[in-house]
Amino acid sequence: MATFGDDLYFAPITELHAGIRAKRYSSVELTRAFCDRLEKLGPRFNALALLLRDQAIRKAHDADGEILRGRIRSPLQGVPYAVKDLVAVAGHPTTWGARPYAAQVFEQDASIVKRLSKVGAVLIGKLAMVELAGGGGYRFAAASLQGPGLNPWDRSRWSGGSSSGSGSAVAAGLVPWAIGSETSGSILTPAAFCGITGLRPTYGLVSRAGCMALSWTLDKIGPMARSAEDCGHILQAISGGDSEDPSSANKRFYYAPQFAPPLKELKVGYDPADFSDRVVAEARKAFAEALEVIRQLGVRLIEAKIPDFPYSAMVATIISAEMGSIFEDLVASGKVDQLADKRQIAGIKVSQEVLAKDYLRAMRLRRLVQREFAKLFFDLDVLIAPARSGPASKISEPLDRLTSPPTPLIPAGNLAGLPALCLPCGFVDNLPLGLQIVGPPFSENKLLALGTAFQNQTNWHRRRPPV
Amino acid sequence: MAAKVTRRQLAVLAALPLGAAESLQPQGQPLLEDDLAAQRETLRRNREQMAKVSLPMGVEPAVIFKA
């Protein structure tokens, strides 16, 4: 029986997979170890929704057998992971983080769970989330079936939302990687607050079939992991067309770091104000140093400004209108009142009153946003900016008066369907900060190449919280 | 619906977490009526902000959205 130390709980995917192949431990042993850790420490961060130990051990047995026979499917084979609790897993509760759905059970796995099963990844659990992904505009971090997502770096701080359990579980080494989702900031925010690497894929690249819908035209599913490289391997496994998802772009992603363009050819746009005036004072030094690391990589740093649109108003209107339709029955039944957060309850009720002309105006403006970003990326390969303007907020802090609000590139990038990579880029008061790299649609390999180069020069992504 | 979930699992899901969430809910939250008013005000503000952007008739909504 192998013994596992902290190094293994924080090891990258490729190293864990290599350990199985080298027979240092089996997938079953690795899975048991992570199940034990997730079960023991998950509740400490309100991160665990449901442990799937028995089915995980069975899957790990299968992976061990295949690896022993030399049938290698992917670096994810035999490696444990967990999903945000809006991803359906057949025969088990999928609560969407919300009390009205606490007993909801689907008969079919979500498409991404099927894909990950095919490559031999081992699903060990479901992770907590903000109720209904927070579409109603919640006021407190406690808006979740499991309670507020607590940050492994400081449990008096929020882990971010809405993929709160995915963020804290990966950061605390309870799972090697996890699946999160983003409508507008729900991967990038917990990745930034928890000090992990999160990838929001291009809209349509990853199937959402079997996942809760909040906004059909904004929802994306993506990986949350320890490094850009890990995100690349995961995205390769989960991307691809799906007839079950009408938004599917019918494209596959192949992680190809070997074909990444030379960094000196990469044109990286940034707005100096994003790294000074628009971030909290105590975080400015760390963000400025992160920008300097990017400069030292040899890229061409070019000053740029994102187009001026009322991004937050647009994204809020679109989410409200689409959510209003999606959760119409929840409101009509009165079960909406069972949600934990009063502001969220009010937001979902008021979503029934959004005017068609307002929704259409937001969607028409969105077309202009797409055009303007296409023009911007004619001269640039990627944009960089802080993901959040500061570190994780306090658990008790009302979210409508945040000290670390998101930067405009988060709603802008989501409206335009653009991919984004969030990297840990420094610390302030022992709390992590995140940097986002955003590119044109389907430019994930470029984002990952720059992210990997950054992580080769820094050790922020290797830091571990005091778990 | 499949019935593989045990009654014990359901009981844990239905009972304990709500208590956890409620106990961590900060005190002194505004009344629901205030929240409804705040959310309606947000809708109105969003409408106002979007109205400031000039929008030619030829710009069609991104109804079928492909990146």
Side-chain angles (χ1 to χ4, degrees):
Chain A
M1 177 75 184
T3 52
F4 296 101
D6 257 14
D7 285 351
L8 207 76
Y9 293 120
F10 291 90
I13 289 168
T14 45
E15 199 177 306
L16 293 172
H17 178 72
I20 300 170
R21 291 180 67 176
K23 299 189 175 65
R24 286 197 290 275
Y25 42 79
S26 66
S27 172
V28 168
E29 288 172 327
L30 192 67
T31 298
R32 283 207 175 105
F34 272 105
C35 281
D36 290 347
R37 191 169 163 92
L38 181 59
E39 187 173 35
K40 183 180 168 193
L41 296 176
R44 186 172 156 81
F45 307 108
N46 294 332
L48 179 61
L50 185 69
L51 191 70
L52 297 168
R53 184 189 292 271
D54 292 347
Q55 76 169 55
I57 301 291
R58 284 197 297 274
K59 183 74 186 169
H61 265 298
D62 294 347
D64 279 333
E66 287 203 318
I67 290 170
L68 202 64
R69 292 194 297 277
R71 182 159 190 192
I72 305 304
R73 295 172 182 269
S74 152
L76 308 183
Q77 190 176 15
V79 178
Y81 77 103
V83 295
K84 183 175 180 176
D85 199 20
L86 54 57
V87 177
V89 176
H92 296 283
T94 297
T95 71
W96 301 345
R99 185 167 169 76
Y101 301 98
Q104 175 174 248
V105 178
F106 292 100
E107 290 176 352
Q108 288 231 358
D109 284 337
S111 289
I112 49 160
V113 172
K114 289 180 192 165
R115 278 173 197 243
L116 288 167
S117 179
K118 274 188 187 159
V119 299
V122 179
L123 177 62
I124 66 169
K126 308 191 82 184
L127 300 172
M129 58 180 282
V130 173
E131 54 187 3
L132 307 182
Y138 52 110
R139 190 155 187 259
F140 291 105
S144 170
L145 199 49
Q146 279 77 26
L150 306 182
N151 195 310
W153 291 94
D154 175 350
R155 294 199 314 137
S156 72
R157 303 277 177 156
W158 189 34
S159 58
S162 63
S163 308
S164 28
S166 302
S168 50
V170 173
L174 314 185
V175 281
W177 58 280
I179 292 292
S181 76
E182 171 148 334
T183 304
S184 186
S186 288
I187 288 176
L188 265 56
T189 296
F193 281 180
C194 294
I196 62 168
T197 307
L199 175 62
R200 177 187 79 213
T202 303
Y203 178 83
L205 186 57
V206 177
S207 171
R208 304 145 334 156
C211 302
M212 187 200 89
L214 174 62
S215 165
W216 298 292
T217 68
L218 284 163
D219 295 341
K220 279 87 54 187
I221 302 289
M224 300 173 75
R226 310 219 171 285
S227 66
E229 189 187 349
D230 280 2
C231 287
H233 291 301
I234 301 162
L235 185 61
Q236 175 160 323
I238 62 176
S239 68
D242 185 1
S243 57
E244 299 294 313
D245 181 350
S247 78
S248 174
N250 290 314
K251 281 180 187 274
R252 278 218 65 174
F253 168 79
Y254 294 95
Y255 182 41
Q258 67 275 32
F259 300 125
L263 289 175
K264 65 178 179 354
E265 289 176 15
L266 210 61
K267 291 175 281 184
V268 178
Y270 78 107
D271 186 341
D274 283 341
F275 290 83
S276 52
D277 306 348
R278 294 189 191 127
V279 290
V280 298
E282 61 269 30
R284 281 179 196 157
K285 185 168 175 283
F287 281 126
E289 285 170 0
L291 184 62
E292 190 52 33
V293 172
I294 297 275
R295 193 190 305 276
Q296 295 294 327
L297 292 174
V299 301
R300 289 175 59 192
L301 264 183
I302 300 165
E303 286 194 21
K305 284 193 191 308
I306 64 168
D308 187 22
F309 284 96
Y311 296 114
S312 295
M314 291 167 64
V315 90
T317 304
I318 293 165
I319 292 173
S320 198
E322 296 185 15
M323 174 188 69
S325 174
I326 290 164
F327 293 112
E328 189 180 355
D329 290 346
L330 181 70
V331 177
S333 68
K335 288 182 182 168
V336 67
D337 292 318
Q338 295 174 14
L339 294 177
D341 190 278
K342 287 198 177 74
R343 182 63 60 89
Q344 169 108 302
I345 294 168
I348 295 173
K349 286 183 174 175
V350 169
S351 72
Q352 306 298 302
E353 302 168 15
V354 177
L355 301 177
K357 71 184 181 79
D358 291 342
Y359 175 63
L360 287 171
R361 185 168 189 90
M363 293 299 274
R364 291 172 70 203
L365 287 172
R366 191 173 181 181
R367 189 172 288 279
L368 297 182
V369 169
Q370 282 179 272
R371 279 186 202 164
E372 291 304 312
F373 268 95
K375 282 186 207 164
L376 194 65
F377 284 121
F378 192 75
D379 296 319
L380 296 172
D381 290 301
V382 297
L383 282 164
I384 57 169
R388 303 284 301 199
S389 55
S393 46
K394 291 192 172 129
I395 281 294
S396 54
E397 196 176 329
L399 302 176
D400 51 356
R401 292 196 295 272
L402 275 179
T403 50
S404 298
T407 48
L409 194 50
I410 286 189
N414 277 287
L415 285 165
L418 309 176
L421 181 69
C422 180
L423 310 161
C425 71
F427 278 74
V428 59
D429 298 333
N430 213 28
L431 292 166
L433 298 167
L435 179 77
Q436 60 177 319
I437 309 173
V438 177
F442 308 108
S443 64
E444 279 83 354
N445 265 316
K446 267 185 198 167
L447 309 188
L448 293 167
L450 182 57
T452 301
F454 181 84
Q455 292 186 328
N456 285 340
Q457 297 298 317
T458 59
N459 68 355
W460 308 119
H461 63 297
R462 293 195 189 92
R463 289 212 183 175
R464 301 171 191 175
V467 177
Chain B
M1 290 281 170
K4 289 178 186 168
V5 59
T6 64
R7 274 183 290 185
R8 175 173 289 184
Q9 275 178 312
L10 283 178
V12 168
L13 280 162
L16 289 178
L18 179 68
E22 280 178 343
S23 65
L24 289 157
Q25 192 77 254
Q27 297 300 305
Q29 279 200 81
L31 297 171
L32 184 58
E33 288 71 26
D34 296 339
D35 281 314
L36 286 168
Q39 294 284 20
R40 287 194 180 101
E41 174 60 17
T42 302
L43 281 188
R44 192 195 60 75
R45 272 203 318 270
N46 290 342
R47 182 182 305 132
E48 236 175 51
Q49 283 183 44
M50 291 194 296
K52 287 177 187 165
V53 184
S54 163
L55 198 51
M57 188 191 289
V59 178
E60 294 190 12
V63 175
I64 298 170
F65 183 76
K66 293 276 181 190

